[in-house]
């Protein structure tokens, strides 16, 4: 048990220490898709989040405060989107993600047949990574937020989006 | 001779805290004479002159803080190979450039990088490589963070600057 916690601590330190190489789910499990043309890949660096924090970027007013709150603790964001083979990719994704590392937070299935899974990777009280996997008929989205994520703030943020619909 | 020059150039870039980036400059020089390339380089008084055409005070002030603007546009994206782009990125990252954002979508690759010095942004680099176009924008100056937000360039690349993925659209609606 001690060895496991030592290894976890080491892993956490590596994650905290490295600026370039981020050990997020997309890099780890879906690295091969990064160069695949079928996918749209977005990467927002820690530097960008630092800058967003320093700037007062104009989001929609309602979600602005909530957004700022969540964003200031983020270190990085990776997004992977595919239009083709969405269902298959979704299945592949859920199977690949190691459930010892990532804890399933929530699953959502709604009437228009979107499947969604939210997973987190945490160290004690701190959530280091929030992973969203979405599979619908023609859309597969994988989003990985890395940082010090406070789930309460995320909840507030999604509430503010709901209010806008 | 060439090697000496390159070595000298690299040495200089390490010794001086200068806004110039040898690898970026070399890249511009290389594609300078190509038929399908369009290059524009504004600096010093020409840039200040361009600031007179700025529509509002904000843009005017902003342009005054930019010391050099260099743009390279090609209608044919394949003139620049992926390896070359990769090499350029690797070089600038080794020269204190930090990635801000990277987007790859349908054969188009966009990279945003900046270089800072003492909490001021000294360089901004935007690279767009697509199948049908290539664009490189290099900006040198002394910008504070707030300034970058308001940056508006009247080149077709301007809207790429604003193309910060709006997280909102990526957030799933449950």
């Amino acid at each position: 048990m001690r060895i496991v916690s030592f290894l976890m601590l080491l892993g956490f330190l590596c994650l905290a220490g490295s600026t370039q190489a981020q050990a997020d789910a997309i890099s780890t499990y879906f690295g091969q898709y990064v160069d695949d043309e079928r996918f749209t890949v977005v990467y927002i660096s820690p530097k960008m989040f630092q800058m967003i924090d320093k700037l007062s970027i104009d989001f929609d007013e309602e979600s602005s405060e909530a957004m700022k709150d969540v964003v200031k603790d983020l270190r990085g964001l990776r997004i992977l989107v595919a239009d083709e083979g969405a269902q298959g990719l979704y299945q592949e994704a859920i199977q690949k993600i190691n459930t010892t590392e990532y804890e399933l937070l929530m699953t959502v299935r709604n009437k228009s047949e979107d499947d969604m899974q939210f997973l987190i990777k945490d160290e004690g009280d701190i959530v280091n990574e929030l992973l969203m996997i979405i599979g619908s008929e023609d859309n597969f989205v994988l989003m990985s937020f890395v940082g010090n994520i406070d789930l309460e703030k995320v909840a507030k943020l999604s509430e503010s989006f709901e209010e806008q619909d | 001779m060439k090697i000496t020059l390159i070595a000298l150039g690299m040495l200089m870039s390490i010794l001086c805290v200068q806004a110039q980036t040898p690898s970026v400059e070399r890249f511009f020089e290389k594609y300078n004479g190509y038929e399908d390339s369009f290059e524009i380089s504004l600096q010093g008084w020409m840039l200040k002159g361009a600031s007179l055409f700025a529509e509002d005070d904000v843009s005017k002030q902003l342009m005054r803080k930019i010391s050099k603007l260099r743009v390279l546009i090609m209608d044919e994206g394949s003139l620049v190979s992926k390896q070359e782009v990769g090499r350029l990125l690797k070089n600038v990252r080794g020269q204190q450039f930090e990635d801000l954002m990277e987007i790859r979508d349908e054969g188009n690759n966009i990279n945003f990088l900046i270089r800072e010095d003492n909490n001021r942004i000294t360089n901004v680099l935007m690279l767009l490589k697509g199948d049908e176009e290539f664009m490189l924008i290099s900006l040198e100056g002394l910008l504070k963070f707030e300034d970058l937000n308001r940056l508006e360039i009247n080149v077709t690349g301007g809207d790429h600057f604003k193309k910060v993925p709006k997280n909102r659209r990526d957030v799933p609606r449950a």
Side-chain angles (χ1 to χ4, degrees):
Chain A
M1 190 56 204
R2 282 191 82 183
I3 297 177
V4 173
S5 16
F6 174 67
L7 286 174
M8 280 175 80
L9 184 64
L10 207 65
F12 177 65
L13 284 176
C14 290
L15 185 67
S18 65
T19 44
Q20 292 275 11
Q22 284 188 293
D24 63 285
I26 296 185
S27 314
T28 317
Y29 298 105
F30 303 96
Q32 76 264 33
Y33 293 136
V34 168
D35 283 323
D36 191 327
E37 287 221 356
R38 293 175 294 159
F39 291 82
T40 297
V41 184
V42 177
Y43 168 63
I44 307 202
S45 73
K47 188 87 216 163
M48 185 74 198
F49 281 106
Q50 269 180 43
M51 285 183 66
I52 293 180
D53 196 34
K54 293 185 195 181
L55 302 169
S56 44
I57 293 200
D58 231 346
F59 295 106
D60 306 315
E61 279 171 29
E62 298 93 42
S63 33
S64 184
E65 275 310 307
M67 180 82 83
K68 271 189 224 165
D69 225 11
V70 173
V71 166
K72 73 169 160 23
D73 293 321
L74 289 179
R75 300 268 175 283
L77 169 60
R78 272 189 208 272
I79 308 175
L80 204 65
V81 182
D83 294 326
E84 295 172 21
Q87 277 301 323
L89 287 163
Y90 180 71
Q91 294 304 325
E92 184 187 338
I94 9 183
Q95 278 164 21
K96 262 189 177 169
I97 309 282
N98 187 353
T99 42
T100 49
E101 257 189 284
Y102 290 87
E103 197 181 315
L104 186 61
L105 204 61
M106 184 163 75
T107 56
V108 178
R109 259 199 114 171
N110 69 11
K111 41 197 164 137
S112 48
E113 286 167 22
D114 290 337
D115 280 323
M116 244 189 281
Q117 279 200 4
F118 287 79
L119 301 104
I120 54 166
K121 187 182 191 180
D122 56 359
E123 281 294 321
D125 283 339
I126 313 169
V127 176
N128 290 334
E129 188 178 349
L130 171 63
L131 196 58
M132 282 192 256
I133 318 180
I134 305 164
S136 67
E137 236 182 272
D138 26 47
N139 235 327
F140 167 73
V141 180
L142 190 58
M143 271 176 93
S144 158
F145 293 87
V146 177
N148 285 334
I149 302 163
D150 184 341
L151 293 173
E152 267 187 49
K153 294 183 188 172
V154 176
K156 272 194 211 142
L157 184 60
S158 46
E159 269 172 29
S160 69
F161 289 155
E162 293 286 318
E163 283 158 26
Q164 286 176 54
D165 286 332
Chain B
M1 186 56 184
K2 238 185 154 181
I3 297 178
T4 320
L5 280 175
I6 294 176
L8 203 65
M10 285 176 74
L11 191 67
M12 276 179 68
S13 65
I14 297 169
L15 291 178
C16 339
V17 176
Q18 54 173 15
Q20 280 215 328
T21 320
S23 40
V24 174
E25 299 297 314
R26 273 204 300 278
F27 200 93
F28 275 112
E29 298 306 322
K30 178 172 181 181
Y31 292 96
N32 213 335
Y34 277 51
E35 234 178 70
D36 291 311
S37 77
F38 164 74
E39 196 211 327
I40 186 166
S41 182
L42 293 174
Q43 58 187 4
W45 63 269
M46 275 184 75
L47 203 55
K48 306 238 186 297
S51 78
L52 292 174
F53 292 103
E55 287 168 354
D56 55 287
D57 286 330
V58 170
S59 311
K60 267 197 193 143
Q61 271 186 23
L62 197 61
M63 303 221 40
R64 285 198 211 120
K65 296 192 187 183
I66 301 173
S67 58
K68 186 172 181 182
L69 173 64
R70 211 164 175 185
V71 180
L72 176 65
I73 302 178
M74 290 191 243
D75 282 333
E76 183 57 62
S78 49
L79 281 176
V80 184
S81 72
K82 273 193 190 153
Q83 288 93 328
E84 288 216 56
V85 174
R87 213 180 312 141
L88 178 63
L89 288 169
K90 183 164 161 244
N91 284 336
V92 297
R93 282 171 189 148
Q95 283 162 354
Q96 285 101 47
F97 269 88
E98 292 179 77
D99 283 274
L100 277 190
M101 194 157 57
E102 195 169 336
I103 304 174
R104 200 172 53 71
D105 182 33
E106 288 177 10
N108 291 322
N109 273 58
I110 303 175
N111 278 288
F112 276 90
L113 302 104
I114 58 164
R115 179 155 70 184
E116 279 178 281
D117 183 30
N118 260 348
N119 245 339
R120 304 260 169 152
I121 301 167
T122 51
N123 299 73
V124 178
L125 206 61
M126 192 213 94
L127 253 143
L128 162 64
K129 163 148 175 69
D131 292 325
E132 291 168 13
E133 53 177 344
F134 175 85
M135 188 165 359
L136 173 62
I137 301 181
S138 166
L139 215 136
E140 290 169 23
L142 211 62
L143 300 162
K144 286 190 288 204
F145 286 105
E146 303 88 61
D147 301 326
L148 195 63
N149 196 17
R150 302 178 235 153
L151 198 65
E152 264 179 85
I153 305 178
N154 280 334
V155 184
T156 45
D159 45 1
H160 287 297
F161 264 113
K162 291 181 210 151
K163 203 179 173 181
V164 177
K166 299 202 170 139
N167 287 348
R168 201 187 146 208
R169 279 197 220 119
D170 294 323
V171 176
R173 281 132 196 248

